[in-house]
Amino acid sequence: MQTDYVVGQDNIEGQLGPIGFDIHNRVFVVSALASVVFIVLTLLFPERAGSLFQSIVGFSTGTLDWYFMIVVDFFILFCVALVLLPYGSVRLGGPDARPEYGYLSWFSMLFAAGIGIGLLFFGVLEPVYHANVSLPLGVASPFGSDGTLDHAAIADASALGLAGTYLHWGLHGWAVYVVMALALALFTYNKGLPFSIRSAFFPILGDRVWGWWGHVIDILAVFSTLFGLATSLGLGAQQANAGMNFVFGLEVSTSFQVIIIILVTAVALVSVWRGLDGGVKKLSEINMILAVLFFLFVLFAGPTLLALSGFWTGLVTYVTEFIPLSAPFGREDDAFRQAWTIFYWAWWISWAPFVGMFIARVSRGRTVREFIISVLLIPSLFIFIWMGVFGSTALEQLYADPAGSLVKEYVIDNYSPELSLFGMLNELPLTGLMSTLAIFLALVFFVTSSDSGSLVIDTITAGGKVDAPRTQRMFWATVEGLIAIVLLIGGGLSALQAGVTATAIPFSVVMLLMCYSIIRALNGELRRHRDR
């Protein structure tokens, strides 16, 4: 692909005292001003903002549910086709490129950036809720109308509850990331274009991609990333606050959650200052080690064989019910599909620029086939094992003693999702120590997500440069924290969901067009290799 565009040619460089800057003159300015306006208006009119957020959630999940289901199903099929076709032999970066990171470091960064706080927040909540309340595909709840247990329904409900959880955290979501990451890697490493979302549209727009068409694409990517991250940061703050109340008796309030976001954002700023290898990579590896130790404790302190059996039964059910759970039409499980699945598909899409750019940044040298299979399967399998063990342990506690189960109280009776993990830990040894570790893990996930996200947003708003001044990354880390704060103030969870779905609607169209660009790029690579 031929273009005269030079990375950073539209940038403004300078120095304001000790603060250097190297920004894209339009993308940075529009994104920064719009973010500030959003923050100010939400703080000034929190009630109106909350009402608007609820309307957005209702429209996205109730009216556009079929659209989101079809889009994400298509991404799965697209990834499978690329693996099976000759395109899989293309190497990201060219035939002579080799990976910069070993598998352990690579998987650690995939794990920390692409999964984040969700493992802790939803690992207990979803399996228990889906098995007993939302009832995917209309399976009967083990709790009858009088509240007593129907033992014949326990096995089916538990297996499908885990399968519904795997649906939301498995292949579908990672296929979204694959599309974004593959497009960025191909056009950056193989075509020599700027490391920016707009570069993937060069086959469609030509040199017009460096004008306002490209500016709009990159600005959409910035907002999608900001609101996707803000949702995770908000959920993380809620869970950390709930854990501190559970362990130390500290109050649960929006004010305290705001303080948590401020403190963790301050730590993220230090990590951002240290850069990718000194900050994100080290934090990711620390996070991986602590998460594995935490997982092993729950596995061996709880009903080990039952937890492993539950993981496997859930996985088998996920595979056998994959098509029914993925179907966009002919469903009667609206509570499960609209309230959960559609929110997740929007959340994954809104995270795609952030995680996709980060995955592309660390994946140079992999073949397309190796890249797709690894990104689809390795994180998914880790998530399935984690949520299978945590979910099965919590379900066993629930059905063994429904009257005394904190899991039942927090998930079914008095819905408190941020406390579900701590309810499960309450029935295991070393409750205080493990609950404290869970809080620490949530905070480290918090820092890693903010760190990685600010790195990606800065790359977009710096015209594709990956070596812009560190102060710009610190600016975006601060903005992420502020948006999470105003969303919490403006309506809590519904506001967090609204921010995700509002940005995912237009960005899903951008990603569909990316698939065409990917095919064009891969065709060009195959022709070039044949001509050598």
Side-chain angles (χ1 to χ4, degrees):
M1 296 182 181
Q2 300 297 319
T3 180
D4 296 327
Y5 188 85
V6 177
V7 176
Q9 72 176 38
D10 294 325
N11 283 20
I12 300 174
E13 298 182 54
Q15 193 84 18
L16 289 174
I19 301 175
F21 60 89
D22 187 353
I23 61 175
H24 189 283
N25 62 341
R26 292 178 176 85
V27 175
F28 182 94
V29 172
V30 173
S31 300
L33 286 178
S35 299
V36 171
V37 169
F38 173 82
I39 291 168
V40 171
L41 289 179
T42 304
L43 288 175
L44 290 176
F45 308 104
E47 293 184 3
R48 291 187 181 180
S51 177
L52 176 61
F53 295 150
Q54 290 177 351
S55 299
I56 292 172
V57 171
F59 174 74
S60 301
T61 59
T63 305
L64 295 181
D65 54 339
W66 60 273
Y67 168 74
F68 278 112
M69 296 289 286
I70 289 173
V71 166
V72 179
D73 286 347
F74 172 77
F75 291 149
I76 283 271
L77 296 174
F78 182 74
C79 290
V80 172
L82 293 183
V83 168
L84 297 177
L85 293 171
Y87 299 131
S89 62
V90 173
R91 189 173 291 275
L92 303 177
D96 300 324
R98 291 296 177 265
E100 298 176 60
Y101 300 98
Y103 279 112
L104 180 60
S105 293
W106 189 41
F107 292 156
S108 295
M109 287 189 277
L110 292 179
F111 166 79
I115 301 171
I117 293 164
L119 272 182
L120 297 173
F121 195 92
F122 294 100
V124 170
L125 171 66
E126 275 208 71
V128 173
Y129 193 86
H130 297 331
N132 297 281
V133 182
S134 64
L135 309 177
L137 302 183
V139 169
S141 169
F143 286 97
S145 57
D146 59 354
T148 57
L149 277 177
D150 177 359
H151 292 280
I154 286 178
D156 289 341
S158 297
L160 201 54
L162 284 166
T165 305
Y166 295 168
L167 174 77
H168 297 153
W169 291 91
L171 300 180
H172 285 83
W174 287 94
V176 175
Y177 289 169
V178 165
V179 170
M180 176 62 64
L182 183 58
L184 288 163
L186 280 170
F187 286 96
T188 300
Y189 302 140
N190 295 70
K191 305 301 181 183
L193 298 179
F195 192 56
S196 192
I197 308 294
R198 70 172 73 199
S199 294
F201 293 86
F202 190 82
I204 299 173
L205 297 172
D207 280 324
R208 288 175 296 172
V209 81
W210 314 124
W212 272 107
W213 282 104
H215 302 341
V216 170
I217 291 168
D218 278 351
I219 290 167
L220 276 175
V222 169
F223 283 114
S224 184
T225 304
L226 282 173
F227 284 100
L229 277 169
T231 299
S232 295
L233 301 185
L235 293 176
Q238 289 178 336
Q239 185 169 45
N241 187 190
M244 291 173 184
N245 172 263
F246 184 83
V247 179
F248 307 114
L250 300 178
E251 69 167 316
V252 175
S253 67
T254 301
S255 299
F256 201 82
Q257 291 160 19
V258 167
I259 293 172
I260 292 172
I261 292 175
I262 292 171
L263 292 176
V264 175
T265 300
V267 177
L269 292 175
V270 176
S271 179
V272 165
W273 183 263
R274 291 176 59 86
L276 181 61
D277 290 325
V280 178
K281 180 183 174 183
K282 289 189 182 300
L283 275 175
S284 299
E285 291 173 348
I286 292 170
N287 227 16
M288 183 71 148
I289 294 169
L290 290 176
V292 168
L293 292 175
F294 185 57
F295 166 82
L296 290 175
F297 169 80
V298 173
L299 174 63
F300 291 112
T304 306
L305 293 179
L306 188 146
L308 292 174
S309 173
F311 147 70
W312 179 252
T313 304
L315 183 60
V316 171
T317 305
Y318 170 66
V319 173
T320 57
E321 300 294 339
F322 187 84
I323 293 178
L325 286 169
S326 305
F329 304 112
R331 306 266 297 263
E332 297 180 359
D333 55 341
D334 289 353
F336 172 76
R337 188 181 74 260
Q338 294 181 355
W340 288 89
T341 305
I342 303 308
F343 166 64
Y344 271 111
W345 290 177
W347 196 6
W348 285 94
I349 290 170
S350 71
W351 262 52
F354 153 46
V355 181
M357 290 191 79
F358 189 77
I359 292 174
R361 180 83 178 271
V362 299
S363 299
R364 185 186 179 101
R366 310 286 176 184
T367 65
V368 168
R369 185 171 291 113
E370 175 191 20
F371 173 80
I372 294 176
I373 291 174
S374 296
V375 176
L376 280 181
L377 296 185
I378 300 300
S380 293
L381 183 60
F382 185 95
I383 294 171
F384 295 165
I385 295 173
W386 179 291
M387 292 193 163
V389 167
F390 277 56
S392 297
T393 300
L395 286 165
E396 167 64 14
Q397 294 174 358
L398 169 64
Y399 298 138
D401 181 20
S405 171
L406 281 182
V407 169
K408 183 174 185 290
E409 178 183 342
Y410 294 150
V411 178
I412 300 174
D413 297 337
N414 301 298
Y415 186 63
S416 304
E418 64 278 2
L419 281 169
S420 56
L421 172 64
F422 301 102
M424 184 268 287
L425 292 175
N426 188 66
E427 303 299 320
L428 300 179
L430 304 176
T431 299
L433 177 62
M434 288 300 108
S435 296
T436 303
L437 177 58
I439 296 168
F440 180 76
L441 268 175
L443 295 176
V444 177
F445 273 126
F446 198 153
V447 172
T448 307
S449 296
S450 178
D451 190 340
S452 307
S454 60
L455 187 69
V456 166
I457 295 172
D458 181 49
T459 300
I460 299 173
T461 57
K465 286 190 173 183
V466 296
D467 57 352
R470 289 175 290 187
T471 49
Q472 291 173 204
R473 297 198 296 274
M474 298 175 74
F475 168 78
W476 287 113
T478 303
V479 170
E480 290 161 18
L482 288 173
I483 288 180
I485 288 170
V486 300
L487 286 174
L488 280 175
I489 293 172
L493 183 59
S494 65
L496 296 171
Q497 292 175 324
V500 165
T501 54
T503 53
I505 294 170
F507 204 77
S508 62
V509 178
V510 170
M511 292 195 64
L512 287 171
L513 293 173
M514 267 185 178
C515 294
Y516 170 76
S517 293
I518 288 172
I519 296 298
R520 287 280 302 272
L522 289 172
N523 279 328
E525 289 297 295
L526 290 178
R527 283 195 301 269
R528 189 155 62 93
H529 295 167
R530 284 196 300 264
D531 294 341
R532 291 183 62 176

